[in-house]
Every structure is written in C-alpha cells, then in structure tokens.
Amino acid sequence: PMKRTIGLYSHLDVQPAQREDGWRTDPFKLEEDEKGQMWGRGTTDDKGPALAWLWVIEIFQEMKVELPVNVVFCFESMEESGSEGLAQLIDKEASAFFADVDCWCISDFNWLG
C-alpha cells in the first residue's frame, strides 16, 4: 500500500527579547538550568517543535526503520511578521511541492486556540 503524506508546518523566527525583559539568561543562547530545563527564545514557539520532528526522523533512520508516512516540511521565518508570503507560497506549491500532502500537522501552539 502507498504511504500517506503528512505536511509538517513550523516557524523558526521569534519575537525580539532582551535580558531586561525578565530572562535569567541571554534569551538567544540556549541554557540548561540546575533542574535540567532548557531556556532560550523560541524553544517552545517554535524551534523546539520543529527540531522534534527532525529528531523523530533521525531516530527512525538510526534504527533502520522506515517511516510509516512520507513527510513534507514547511518551515517559515516570517510567522512573527504575519506570515508574509506564506499564502502565496501555499498557492504556488499546492499543485507541486505540496500536491501529495494528505493532511497537515501545525506545530505551533498559538494556532491551537
């Protein structure tokens, strides 16, 4: 049987931040605290979720296990500016790069409402 294709969306940009905004560490340098928690701008919105998908693929490859689905990524870097150009990209690629996508997973907790 043919595998379904999952489209995965994440954004890689972040809002500006300074230590004076309340950060305990440099917001643009990933830091691990004494509890093992990671701190850095964009770790949950949205670089962490994007990286998690890549790690899943890496683990499947290391285990020499075929992914049960095909994967198509859409990573953008303009989400914090209103996703400038994203709608045009989707329209342009709907019948090309995104043509075989059966469903999308949006890795951005802000879109969950």
Side-chain angles (χ1 to χ4, degrees), residues 20-40:
E20 298 79 36
D21 296 333
W23 288 85
R24 292 182 269 174
T25 61
D26 178 348
F28 295 101
K29 182 178 178 200
L30 185 62
E31 299 280 343
E32 185 174 352
D33 69 13
E34 64 281 350
K35 296 177 188 174
Q37 293 178 318
M38 300 274 202
W39 296 89

Side-chain angles (χ1 to χ4, degrees), residues 6-103:
I6 307 297
L8 301 172
Y9 166 88
S10 289
H11 69 89
L12 306 176
D13 57 330
V14 297
Q15 289 284 331
Q18 299 175 10
R19 263 191 102 153
E20 298 79 36
D21 296 333
W23 288 85
R24 292 182 269 174
T25 61
D26 178 348
F28 295 101
K29 182 178 178 200
L30 185 62
E31 299 280 343
E32 185 174 352
D33 69 13
E34 64 281 350
K35 296 177 188 174
Q37 293 178 318
M38 300 274 202
W39 296 89
R41 192 69 168 156
T43 53
T44 60
D45 181 21
D46 197 35
K47 294 175 187 164
L51 187 56
W53 287 115
L54 297 174
W55 282 340
V56 167
I57 293 170
E58 181 180 46
I59 288 170
F60 269 80
Q61 289 175 337
E62 287 175 3
M63 294 174 55
K64 298 186 180 0
V65 174
E66 186 175 338
L67 283 171
V69 294
N70 297 315
V71 178
V72 171
F73 286 100
C74 180
F75 289 158
E76 77 159 313
S77 295
M78 294 295 289
E79 189 270 348
E80 300 293 354
S81 301
S83 293
E84 230 176 276
L86 181 61
Q88 294 87 341
L89 173 75
I90 292 169
D91 288 343
K92 177 182 173 205
E93 296 299 334
S95 60
F97 188 71
F98 301 138
D100 296 327
V101 174
D102 295 298
C103 61

